[in-house]
Amino acid sequence: MRILSGIQPSGRPHLGNYFGALRQYITLQKGNEPFYFIASYHALTAVQEPALLREYTMGVALDLLALGLDPKQAALFAQQDVPEVTELTWILSCVTPMGLLERAVSYKDKVAQGLTPNHGLFAYPVLQAADILIYLSELVPVGQDQKQHLEMTRDIAGKFNQQFGEVFVIPKPYILESTAVVPGVDGRKMSKSYGNEIGIFEEGNALKKRVMSIVTDSAPVEAPKDPHQSTPFLLLSLLASAEEKAEWESRYEAGGMGYGEVKKRLLQLVEEYFAPFRQRRHELEKDTDYVMDVLKDGGMRARAVAQQVMHRVREATGLPTSY
Ligand code: ADP
Ligand code: TRP
């Protein structure tokens, strides 16, 4: 099956990215045809410092390789290495109703957070649709916040196919219910843009500070507590064994347990779980030429597919490039 997903180079990845999406990138790579890319054109809607965008792009490649992405199985590439995707964005724009984009929740959220409402930000879902459709992708692993973008992609593909013939595959999102929305230290959805994230490559004191800053209610130690409303427990559940999770559940409900205890254990679990990935990342950082080669090779593989599909798109729309 053709799998595709993208992540923006707009900062360092966090527990929400990992459990909501990146872990699924890795588990789905075996036995499938995965395409994973760094969504640099999307990031440009917000990151407009060239040096920073470069640094983040390399950073995401390192992150994904350190997490276990196998470049022999998956094509790992940067979005700009397949420029055909911007051509398809224009063509799809012409079958995308304004009303569809006007209903986009993520656009409204980003403007509410203070991002400049540029046209790129508004047209973002059309570029995302092009990313997915240009590789005839069937399954797209993402977190819950991307569900609407996937629905828009399906709508846009349907409109194109109806108007010009069946060129595109209608893709499906792959969202794991148990990790669809990972909470951040303030209890809202974990997100770089809320500044409430726990980074998976964070270490030492910085990591400790983040975990200890998780906001909890002011229930006294002796009071029984509801684990399912408690951010430290929800995060711990992502990492602990089923037995350990059940133990903490009973300890919450029995009372006599302070939040400091559960945070300490959470810190230990985060440290243990991500230690091998951190180690691998440190090693990869010494060999950026290797990472560049991976991106180059992935870009060529992805572009070959995109060019074939674009040929069909141009024929279908009456825009052949040779006569
Ligand atoms: P951010 O909101 O931090 O900028 P991105 O937009 O880069 O994150 O998201 C990359 C991937 O991680 C997407 O598939 C997204 O759905 C997923 N993701 C982001 N935050 C979370 C979260 N808190 N819980 C689950 N999945 C998430
Ligand atoms: N919008 C996605 C995010 O913020 C990133 C993205 C861009 C993407 N293109 C995509 C995800 C295509 C999946 C498929 O996380």
Side-chain angles (χ1 to χ4, degrees):
M1 195 183 305
R2 177 70 49 81
I3 313 285
L4 171 127
S5 196
I7 176 165
Q8 293 189 71
S10 54
R12 304 296 301 273
H14 51 70
L15 293 180
N17 297 142
Y18 181 73
F19 288 103
L22 306 183
R23 188 170 59 165
Q24 284 67 265
Y25 285 22
I26 311 302
T27 53
L28 285 172
Q29 65 184 349
K30 220 174 174 179
N32 283 308
E33 253 188 293
F35 281 63
Y36 298 130
F37 73 97
I38 306 169
S40 1
Y41 287 146
H42 281 105
L44 193 60
T45 59
V47 181
Q48 301 193 342
E49 285 289 335
L52 201 58
L53 191 56
R54 255 180 227 272
E55 182 193 317
Y56 284 159
T57 302
M58 188 61 178
V60 173
L62 285 166
D63 297 336
L64 290 173
L65 291 169
L67 291 171
L69 188 144
D70 175 0
K72 288 199 194 72
Q73 297 187 49
L76 172 63
F77 61 101
Q79 198 176 22
Q80 69 270 26
D81 286 339
V82 187
E84 286 78 6
V85 81
T86 58
E87 181 189 352
L88 181 58
T89 301
W90 178 259
I91 294 173
L92 296 179
S93 287
C94 297
V95 297
T96 304
M98 282 298 284
L100 191 75
L101 295 179
E102 280 160 1
R103 286 192 293 277
V105 174
S106 109
Y107 174 75
K108 289 179 207 158
D109 271 4
K110 286 175 182 171
V111 175
Q113 279 160 36
L115 280 183
T116 311
N118 58 46
H119 175 253
L121 206 60
F122 186 68
Y124 183 114
V126 190
L127 175 58
Q128 183 159 348
D131 287 328
I132 297 171
L133 300 177
I134 205 166
Y135 307 106
L136 306 180
S137 315
E138 295 167 82
L139 201 65
V140 184
V142 282
Q144 179 73 24
D145 58 5
Q146 294 299 312
K147 196 169 178 219
Q148 192 191 29
H149 285 156
L150 262 291
E151 280 159 9
M152 294 165 96
T153 300
R154 291 165 58 89
D155 269 10
I156 294 170
K159 290 232 183 306
F160 181 97
N161 284 353
Q162 206 178 16
Q163 185 64 33
F164 298 111
E166 298 287 316
V167 173
F168 294 124
V169 171
I170 311 289
K172 290 195 180 73
Y174 180 78
I175 300 174
L176 287 190
E177 188 137 347
S178 56
T179 56
V181 186
V182 174
V185 296
D186 59 0
R188 294 187 293 169
K189 181 196 95 112
M190 189 177 288
S191 171
K192 277 163 260 170
S193 39
Y194 295 151
N196 64 354
E197 72 271 33
I198 299 177
I200 59 183
F201 293 107
E202 230 162 318
E203 295 178 78
N205 245 342
L207 177 64
K208 186 172 175 188
K209 265 200 184 147
R210 290 307 270 170
V211 173
M212 292 302 166
S213 75
I214 296 173
V215 177
T216 49
D217 61 29
S218 52
V221 172
E222 57 288 0
K225 301 172 181 70
D226 179 359
H228 303 282
Q229 302 296 326
S230 165
T231 306
F233 176 80
L234 295 173
L235 291 175
L236 182 132
S237 315
L238 298 168
L239 297 152
S241 66
E243 295 84 59
E244 181 170 358
K245 204 180 137 186
E247 247 172 63
W248 284 104
E249 247 165 351
S250 339
R251 291 195 58 196
Y252 262 80
E253 283 157 2
M257 181 214 74
Y259 290 121
E261 270 187 80
V262 55
K263 286 186 195 176
K264 260 194 209 142
R265 177 62 185 145
L266 173 62
L267 175 62
Q268 236 176 19
L269 285 168
V270 173
E271 272 173 341
E272 279 167 25
Y273 190 96
F274 291 104
F277 301 131
R278 284 193 203 111
Q279 174 65 26
R280 173 118 180 88
R281 198 182 191 284
H282 287 312
E283 281 159 22
L284 283 163
E285 278 163 13
K286 294 182 212 140
D287 196 359
T288 48
D289 283 353
Y290 164 74
V291 181
M292 295 291 204
D293 284 348
V294 166
L295 290 179
K296 199 168 150 201
D297 174 65
M300 286 193 309
R301 281 153 67 191
R303 193 168 187 197
V305 175
Q307 283 176 333
Q308 278 178 18
V309 174
M310 279 315 290
H311 180 76
R312 292 174 55 194
V313 170
R314 292 188 198 113
E315 292 292 326
T317 46
L319 298 163
T321 47
S322 57
Y323 296 93

mmCIF file of all heavy atoms in Angstrom, residues 46-86:
data_model
loop_
_atom_site.group_PDB
_atom_site.id
_atom_site.type_symbol
_atom_site.label_atom_id
_atom_site.label_comp_id
_atom_site.label_asym_id
_atom_site.label_seq_id
_atom_site.Cartn_x
_atom_site.Cartn_y
_atom_site.Cartn_z
ATOM 1 N N ALA A 46 5.044 30.174 7.801
ATOM 2 C CA ALA A 46 5.290 30.755 9.125
ATOM 3 C C ALA A 46 6.760 31.024 9.421
ATOM 4 O O ALA A 46 7.084 31.987 10.108
ATOM 5 C CB ALA A 46 4.717 29.822 10.199
ATOM 6 N N VAL A 47 7.661 30.156 8.918
ATOM 7 C CA VAL A 47 9.099 30.337 9.198
ATOM 8 C C VAL A 47 9.722 31.071 8.013
ATOM 9 O O VAL A 47 9.851 30.509 6.929
ATOM 10 C CB VAL A 47 9.806 28.972 9.385
ATOM 11 C CG1 VAL A 47 11.290 29.160 9.696
ATOM 12 C CG2 VAL A 47 9.126 28.148 10.470
ATOM 13 N N GLN A 48 10.112 32.341 8.206
ATOM 14 C CA GLN A 48 10.631 33.105 7.077
ATOM 15 C C GLN A 48 12.041 33.610 7.340
ATOM 16 O O GLN A 48 12.437 34.674 6.877
ATOM 17 C CB GLN A 48 9.627 34.202 6.689
ATOM 18 C CG GLN A 48 8.277 33.553 6.331
ATOM 19 C CD GLN A 48 7.286 34.460 5.637
ATOM 20 O OE1 GLN A 48 7.422 35.667 5.674
ATOM 21 N NE2 GLN A 48 6.271 33.854 5.008
ATOM 22 N N GLU A 49 12.794 32.809 8.078
ATOM 23 C CA GLU A 49 14.228 33.040 8.301
ATOM 24 C C GLU A 49 14.947 31.933 7.560
ATOM 25 O O GLU A 49 14.885 30.770 7.996
ATOM 26 C CB GLU A 49 14.563 32.880 9.791
ATOM 27 C CG GLU A 49 14.132 34.015 10.679
ATOM 28 C CD GLU A 49 14.964 35.253 10.437
ATOM 29 O OE1 GLU A 49 16.115 35.103 9.974
ATOM 30 O OE2 GLU A 49 14.454 36.351 10.688
ATOM 31 N N PRO A 50 15.642 32.240 6.430
ATOM 32 C CA PRO A 50 16.257 31.179 5.630
ATOM 33 C C PRO A 50 17.153 30.231 6.431
ATOM 34 O O PRO A 50 17.068 29.012 6.280
ATOM 35 C CB PRO A 50 17.054 31.944 4.586
ATOM 36 C CG PRO A 50 16.456 33.305 4.544
ATOM 37 C CD PRO A 50 15.837 33.581 5.862
ATOM 38 N N ALA A 51 17.986 30.794 7.308
ATOM 39 C CA ALA A 51 18.925 29.928 8.048
ATOM 40 C C ALA A 51 18.162 28.972 8.965
ATOM 41 O O ALA A 51 18.525 27.810 9.118
ATOM 42 C CB ALA A 51 19.888 30.781 8.856
ATOM 43 N N LEU A 52 17.085 29.485 9.540
ATOM 44 C CA LEU A 52 16.297 28.670 10.468
ATOM 45 C C LEU A 52 15.569 27.552 9.719
ATOM 46 O O LEU A 52 15.530 26.399 10.167
ATOM 47 C CB LEU A 52 15.281 29.581 11.165
ATOM 48 C CG LEU A 52 14.704 29.091 12.485
ATOM 49 C CD1 LEU A 52 15.822 28.851 13.491
ATOM 50 C CD2 LEU A 52 13.717 30.122 13.043
ATOM 51 N N LEU A 53 15.030 27.893 8.559
ATOM 52 C CA LEU A 53 14.300 26.887 7.779
ATOM 53 C C LEU A 53 15.245 25.760 7.341
ATOM 54 O O LEU A 53 14.927 24.577 7.421
ATOM 55 C CB LEU A 53 13.638 27.545 6.566
ATOM 56 C CG LEU A 53 12.622 26.677 5.812
ATOM 57 C CD1 LEU A 53 11.518 26.161 6.718
ATOM 58 C CD2 LEU A 53 11.999 27.457 4.646
ATOM 59 N N ARG A 54 16.454 26.138 6.928
ATOM 60 C CA ARG A 54 17.478 25.138 6.569
ATOM 61 C C ARG A 54 17.798 24.240 7.751
ATOM 62 O O ARG A 54 17.862 23.025 7.625
ATOM 63 C CB ARG A 54 18.775 25.867 6.219
ATOM 64 C CG ARG A 54 19.092 25.936 4.784
ATOM 65 C CD ARG A 54 20.418 26.705 4.674
ATOM 66 N NE ARG A 54 20.321 27.704 3.660
ATOM 67 C CZ ARG A 54 20.590 27.460 2.380
ATOM 68 N NH1 ARG A 54 20.997 26.278 2.012
ATOM 69 N NH2 ARG A 54 20.466 28.401 1.485
ATOM 70 N N GLU A 55 18.023 24.880 8.894
ATOM 71 C CA GLU A 55 18.412 24.130 10.096
ATOM 72 C C GLU A 55 17.290 23.159 10.504
ATOM 73 O O GLU A 55 17.535 21.998 10.792
ATOM 74 C CB GLU A 55 18.683 25.133 11.216
ATOM 75 C CG GLU A 55 19.145 24.519 12.511
ATOM 76 C CD GLU A 55 19.084 25.519 13.664
ATOM 77 O OE1 GLU A 55 19.490 26.692 13.472
ATOM 78 O OE2 GLU A 55 18.620 25.123 14.753
ATOM 79 N N TYR A 56 16.067 23.638 10.493
ATOM 80 C CA TYR A 56 14.940 22.778 10.875
ATOM 81 C C TYR A 56 14.750 21.628 9.892
ATOM 82 O O TYR A 56 14.366 20.528 10.263
ATOM 83 C CB TYR A 56 13.644 23.586 10.928
ATOM 84 C CG TYR A 56 13.478 24.486 12.145
ATOM 85 C CD1 TYR A 56 12.589 25.575 12.093
ATOM 86 C CD2 TYR A 56 14.150 24.247 13.326
ATOM 87 C CE1 TYR A 56 12.396 26.400 13.186
ATOM 88 C CE2 TYR A 56 13.967 25.076 14.432
ATOM 89 C CZ TYR A 56 13.091 26.148 14.353
ATOM 90 O OH TYR A 56 12.899 26.958 15.440
ATOM 91 N N THR A 57 14.999 21.911 8.597
ATOM 92 C CA THR A 57 14.809 20.874 7.582
ATOM 93 C C THR A 57 15.784 19.727 7.828
ATOM 94 O O THR A 57 15.402 18.550 7.868
ATOM 95 C CB THR A 57 14.985 21.468 6.170
ATOM 96 O OG1 THR A 57 14.038 22.530 6.013
ATOM 97 C CG2 THR A 57 14.777 20.436 5.087
ATOM 98 N N MET A 58 17.052 20.090 8.040
ATOM 99 C CA MET A 58 18.057 19.074 8.359
ATOM 100 C C MET A 58 17.679 18.383 9.671
ATOM 101 O O MET A 58 17.814 17.159 9.803
ATOM 102 C CB MET A 58 19.418 19.769 8.501
ATOM 103 C CG MET A 58 20.571 18.833 8.631
ATOM 104 S SD MET A 58 20.649 17.821 7.147
ATOM 105 C CE MET A 58 22.061 16.852 7.449
ATOM 106 N N GLY A 59 17.185 19.164 10.604
ATOM 107 C CA GLY A 59 16.796 18.621 11.915
ATOM 108 C C GLY A 59 15.733 17.541 11.790
ATOM 109 O O GLY A 59 15.844 16.471 12.391
ATOM 110 N N VAL A 60 14.712 17.790 10.987
ATOM 111 C CA VAL A 60 13.635 16.805 10.845
ATOM 112 C C VAL A 60 14.156 15.522 10.195
ATOM 113 O O VAL A 60 13.786 14.412 10.585
ATOM 114 C CB VAL A 60 12.439 17.375 10.034
ATOM 115 C CG1 VAL A 60 11.422 16.295 9.742
ATOM 116 C CG2 VAL A 60 11.781 18.513 10.780
ATOM 117 N N ALA A 61 15.060 15.681 9.204
ATOM 118 C CA ALA A 61 15.630 14.489 8.563
ATOM 119 C C ALA A 61 16.382 13.661 9.610
ATOM 120 O O ALA A 61 16.214 12.434 9.692
ATOM 121 C CB ALA A 61 16.553 14.898 7.422
ATOM 122 N N LEU A 62 17.170 14.336 10.443
ATOM 123 C CA LEU A 62 17.907 13.635 11.504
ATOM 124 C C LEU A 62 16.935 12.956 12.476
ATOM 125 O O LEU A 62 17.133 11.807 12.870
ATOM 126 C CB LEU A 62 18.778 14.632 12.286
ATOM 127 C CG LEU A 62 20.046 15.122 11.610
ATOM 128 C CD1 LEU A 62 20.618 16.335 12.343
ATOM 129 C CD2 LEU A 62 21.098 14.008 11.568
ATOM 130 N N ASP A 63 15.884 13.686 12.840
ATOM 131 C CA ASP A 63 14.903 13.140 13.789
ATOM 132 C C ASP A 63 14.302 11.844 13.251
ATOM 133 O O ASP A 63 14.250 10.834 13.940
ATOM 134 C CB ASP A 63 13.747 14.135 14.014
ATOM 135 C CG ASP A 63 14.209 15.441 14.651
ATOM 136 O OD1 ASP A 63 15.254 15.437 15.320
ATOM 137 O OD2 ASP A 63 13.516 16.465 14.460
ATOM 138 N N LEU A 64 13.849 11.898 12.004
ATOM 139 C CA LEU A 64 13.149 10.736 11.444
ATOM 140 C C LEU A 64 14.081 9.534 11.306
ATOM 141 O O LEU A 64 13.704 8.400 11.613
ATOM 142 C CB LEU A 64 12.516 11.088 10.093
ATOM 143 C CG LEU A 64 11.330 12.045 10.184
ATOM 144 C CD1 LEU A 64 10.878 12.487 8.790
ATOM 145 C CD2 LEU A 64 10.155 11.399 10.913
ATOM 146 N N LEU A 65 15.317 9.801 10.879
ATOM 147 C CA LEU A 65 16.278 8.693 10.749
ATOM 148 C C LEU A 65 16.599 8.120 12.130
ATOM 149 O O LEU A 65 16.662 6.905 12.312
ATOM 150 C CB LEU A 65 17.548 9.159 10.036
ATOM 151 C CG LEU A 65 17.344 9.478 8.544
ATOM 152 C CD1 LEU A 65 18.568 10.188 7.977
ATOM 153 C CD2 LEU A 65 17.044 8.206 7.734
ATOM 154 N N ALA A 66 16.769 9.013 13.115
ATOM 155 C CA ALA A 66 17.072 8.540 14.471
ATOM 156 C C ALA A 66 15.921 7.716 15.045
ATOM 157 O O ALA A 66 16.128 6.767 15.796
ATOM 158 C CB ALA A 66 17.373 9.726 15.375
ATOM 159 N N LEU A 67 14.704 8.043 14.669
ATOM 160 C CA LEU A 67 13.536 7.323 15.194
ATOM 161 C C LEU A 67 13.329 5.974 14.516
ATOM 162 O O LEU A 67 12.435 5.223 14.899
ATOM 163 C CB LEU A 67 12.264 8.171 15.036
ATOM 164 C CG LEU A 67 12.191 9.409 15.923
ATOM 165 C CD1 LEU A 67 11.006 10.277 15.533
ATOM 166 C CD2 LEU A 67 12.105 9.018 17.396
ATOM 167 N N GLY A 68 14.098 5.693 13.480
ATOM 168 C CA GLY A 68 14.008 4.351 12.885
ATOM 169 C C GLY A 68 13.492 4.341 11.463
ATOM 170 O O GLY A 68 13.225 3.257 10.913
ATOM 171 N N LEU A 69 13.339 5.506 10.854
ATOM 172 C CA LEU A 69 12.944 5.496 9.455
ATOM 173 C C LEU A 69 14.059 4.836 8.638
ATOM 174 O O LEU A 69 15.226 5.193 8.800
ATOM 175 C CB LEU A 69 12.695 6.924 8.975
ATOM 176 C CG LEU A 69 12.090 7.008 7.572
ATOM 177 C CD1 LEU A 69 11.110 8.157 7.496
ATOM 178 C CD2 LEU A 69 13.157 7.163 6.517
ATOM 179 N N ASP A 70 13.696 3.851 7.834
ATOM 180 C CA ASP A 70 14.688 3.113 7.058
ATOM 181 C C ASP A 70 14.632 3.591 5.610
ATOM 182 O O ASP A 70 13.676 3.303 4.888
ATOM 183 C CB ASP A 70 14.362 1.613 7.142
ATOM 184 C CG ASP A 70 15.285 0.794 6.257
ATOM 185 O OD1 ASP A 70 16.166 1.376 5.579
ATOM 186 O OD2 ASP A 70 15.105 -0.440 6.232
ATOM 187 N N PRO A 71 15.676 4.332 5.189
ATOM 188 C CA PRO A 71 15.617 4.949 3.852
ATOM 189 C C PRO A 71 15.627 3.923 2.717
ATOM 190 O O PRO A 71 15.374 4.290 1.571
ATOM 191 C CB PRO A 71 16.849 5.844 3.811
ATOM 192 C CG PRO A 71 17.730 5.381 4.899
ATOM 193 C CD PRO A 71 16.893 4.681 5.918
ATOM 194 N N LYS A 72 15.898 2.650 3.051
ATOM 195 C CA LYS A 72 15.818 1.644 1.985
ATOM 196 C C LYS A 72 14.362 1.282 1.721
ATOM 197 O O LYS A 72 13.971 0.972 0.610
ATOM 198 C CB LYS A 72 16.595 0.395 2.384
ATOM 199 C CG LYS A 72 18.083 0.630 2.358
ATOM 200 C CD LYS A 72 18.842 -0.693 2.282
ATOM 201 C CE LYS A 72 20.300 -0.471 2.597
ATOM 202 N NZ LYS A 72 20.523 -0.189 4.054
ATOM 203 N N GLN A 73 13.571 1.322 2.787
ATOM 204 C CA GLN A 73 12.153 1.012 2.604
ATOM 205 C C GLN A 73 11.363 2.257 2.220
ATOM 206 O O GLN A 73 10.498 2.208 1.352
ATOM 207 C CB GLN A 73 11.571 0.466 3.900
ATOM 208 C CG GLN A 73 12.212 -0.835 4.331
ATOM 209 C CD GLN A 73 11.493 -1.441 5.527
ATOM 210 O OE1 GLN A 73 10.284 -1.559 5.541
ATOM 211 N NE2 GLN A 73 12.235 -1.813 6.538
ATOM 212 N N ALA A 74 11.640 3.356 2.926
ATOM 213 C CA ALA A 74 10.833 4.563 2.728
ATOM 214 C C ALA A 74 11.621 5.599 1.938
ATOM 215 O O ALA A 74 12.819 5.754 2.141
ATOM 216 C CB ALA A 74 10.456 5.140 4.085
ATOM 217 N N ALA A 75 10.936 6.309 1.052
ATOM 218 C CA ALA A 75 11.563 7.464 0.404
ATOM 219 C C ALA A 75 11.412 8.633 1.372
ATOM 220 O O ALA A 75 10.293 9.018 1.719
ATOM 221 C CB ALA A 75 10.869 7.769 -0.914
ATOM 222 N N LEU A 76 12.538 9.165 1.847
ATOM 223 C CA LEU A 76 12.523 10.340 2.728
ATOM 224 C C LEU A 76 13.032 11.516 1.904
ATOM 225 O O LEU A 76 14.120 11.450 1.339
ATOM 226 C CB LEU A 76 13.432 10.103 3.945
ATOM 227 C CG LEU A 76 13.656 11.315 4.849
ATOM 228 C CD1 LEU A 76 12.359 11.788 5.484
ATOM 229 C CD2 LEU A 76 14.675 10.984 5.953
ATOM 230 N N PHE A 77 12.235 12.575 1.827
ATOM 231 C CA PHE A 77 12.641 13.684 0.955
ATOM 232 C C PHE A 77 12.105 15.017 1.438
ATOM 233 O O PHE A 77 11.244 15.079 2.323
ATOM 234 C CB PHE A 77 12.182 13.418 -0.491
ATOM 235 C CG PHE A 77 10.687 13.283 -0.649
ATOM 236 C CD1 PHE A 77 9.926 14.345 -1.131
ATOM 237 C CD2 PHE A 77 10.025 12.107 -0.328
ATOM 238 C CE1 PHE A 77 8.544 14.229 -1.288
ATOM 239 C CE2 PHE A 77 8.645 11.978 -0.472
ATOM 240 C CZ PHE A 77 7.911 13.038 -0.957
ATOM 241 N N ALA A 78 12.651 16.079 0.844
ATOM 242 C CA ALA A 78 12.193 17.427 1.156
ATOM 243 C C ALA A 78 11.192 17.841 0.072
ATOM 244 O O ALA A 78 11.405 17.571 -1.114
ATOM 245 C CB ALA A 78 13.376 18.387 1.191
ATOM 246 N N GLN A 79 10.147 18.508 0.510
ATOM 247 C CA GLN A 79 9.039 18.872 -0.397
ATOM 248 C C GLN A 79 9.518 19.621 -1.640
ATOM 249 O O GLN A 79 9.048 19.382 -2.744
ATOM 250 C CB GLN A 79 8.062 19.748 0.397
ATOM 251 C CG GLN A 79 6.684 19.894 -0.182
ATOM 252 C CD GLN A 79 5.809 20.699 0.780
ATOM 253 O OE1 GLN A 79 6.314 21.444 1.621
ATOM 254 N NE2 GLN A 79 4.511 20.543 0.666
ATOM 255 N N GLN A 80 10.524 20.506 -1.469
ATOM 256 C CA GLN A 80 10.953 21.331 -2.597
ATOM 257 C C GLN A 80 11.704 20.532 -3.654
ATOM 258 O O GLN A 80 11.944 21.043 -4.751
ATOM 259 C CB GLN A 80 11.801 22.524 -2.117
ATOM 260 C CG GLN A 80 13.168 22.164 -1.566
ATOM 261 C CD GLN A 80 13.142 21.907 -0.066
ATOM 262 O OE1 GLN A 80 12.115 21.536 0.485
ATOM 263 N NE2 GLN A 80 14.273 22.106 0.606
ATOM 264 N N ASP A 81 12.080 19.299 -3.350
ATOM 265 C CA ASP A 81 12.745 18.477 -4.360
ATOM 266 C C ASP A 81 11.758 17.870 -5.356
ATOM 267 O O ASP A 81 12.163 17.172 -6.290
ATOM 268 C CB ASP A 81 13.605 17.391 -3.692
ATOM 269 C CG ASP A 81 14.867 18.002 -3.086
ATOM 270 O OD1 ASP A 81 15.244 19.118 -3.524
ATOM 271 O OD2 ASP A 81 15.459 17.394 -2.182
ATOM 272 N N VAL A 82 10.470 18.108 -5.136
ATOM 273 C CA VAL A 82 9.449 17.683 -6.105
ATOM 274 C C VAL A 82 8.621 18.922 -6.472
ATOM 275 O O VAL A 82 7.492 19.092 -6.017
ATOM 276 C CB VAL A 82 8.539 16.568 -5.524
ATOM 277 C CG1 VAL A 82 7.598 16.033 -6.596
ATOM 278 C CG2 VAL A 82 9.379 15.429 -4.943
ATOM 279 N N PRO A 83 9.199 19.815 -7.280
ATOM 280 C CA PRO A 83 8.515 21.088 -7.539
ATOM 281 C C PRO A 83 7.174 20.911 -8.265
ATOM 282 O O PRO A 83 6.334 21.812 -8.241
ATOM 283 C CB PRO A 83 9.521 21.872 -8.389
ATOM 284 C CG PRO A 83 10.493 20.871 -8.897
ATOM 285 C CD PRO A 83 10.517 19.734 -7.930
ATOM 286 N N GLU A 84 6.964 19.738 -8.884
ATOM 287 C CA GLU A 84 5.675 19.473 -9.553
ATOM 288 C C GLU A 84 4.494 19.650 -8.590
ATOM 289 O O GLU A 84 3.369 19.887 -9.018
ATOM 290 C CB GLU A 84 5.641 18.039 -10.119
ATOM 291 C CG GLU A 84 6.473 17.824 -11.363
ATOM 292 C CD GLU A 84 7.976 17.685 -11.083
ATOM 293 O OE1 GLU A 84 8.383 17.640 -9.904
ATOM 294 O OE2 GLU A 84 8.744 17.632 -12.061
ATOM 295 N N VAL A 85 4.779 19.513 -7.295
ATOM 296 C CA VAL A 85 3.683 19.588 -6.329
ATOM 297 C C VAL A 85 3.060 20.995 -6.322
ATOM 298 O O VAL A 85 1.858 21.157 -6.087
ATOM 299 C CB VAL A 85 4.172 19.125 -4.929
ATOM 300 C CG1 VAL A 85 4.918 20.210 -4.175
ATOM 301 C CG2 VAL A 85 3.021 18.598 -4.110
ATOM 302 N N THR A 86 3.860 22.001 -6.644
ATOM 303 C CA THR A 86 3.288 23.359 -6.674
ATOM 304 C C THR A 86 2.440 23.558 -7.930
ATOM 305 O O THR A 86 1.455 24.293 -7.917
ATOM 306 C CB THR A 86 4.381 24.444 -6.614
ATOM 307 O OG1 THR A 86 5.261 24.246 -7.713
ATOM 308 C CG2 THR A 86 5.157 24.384 -5.323
#
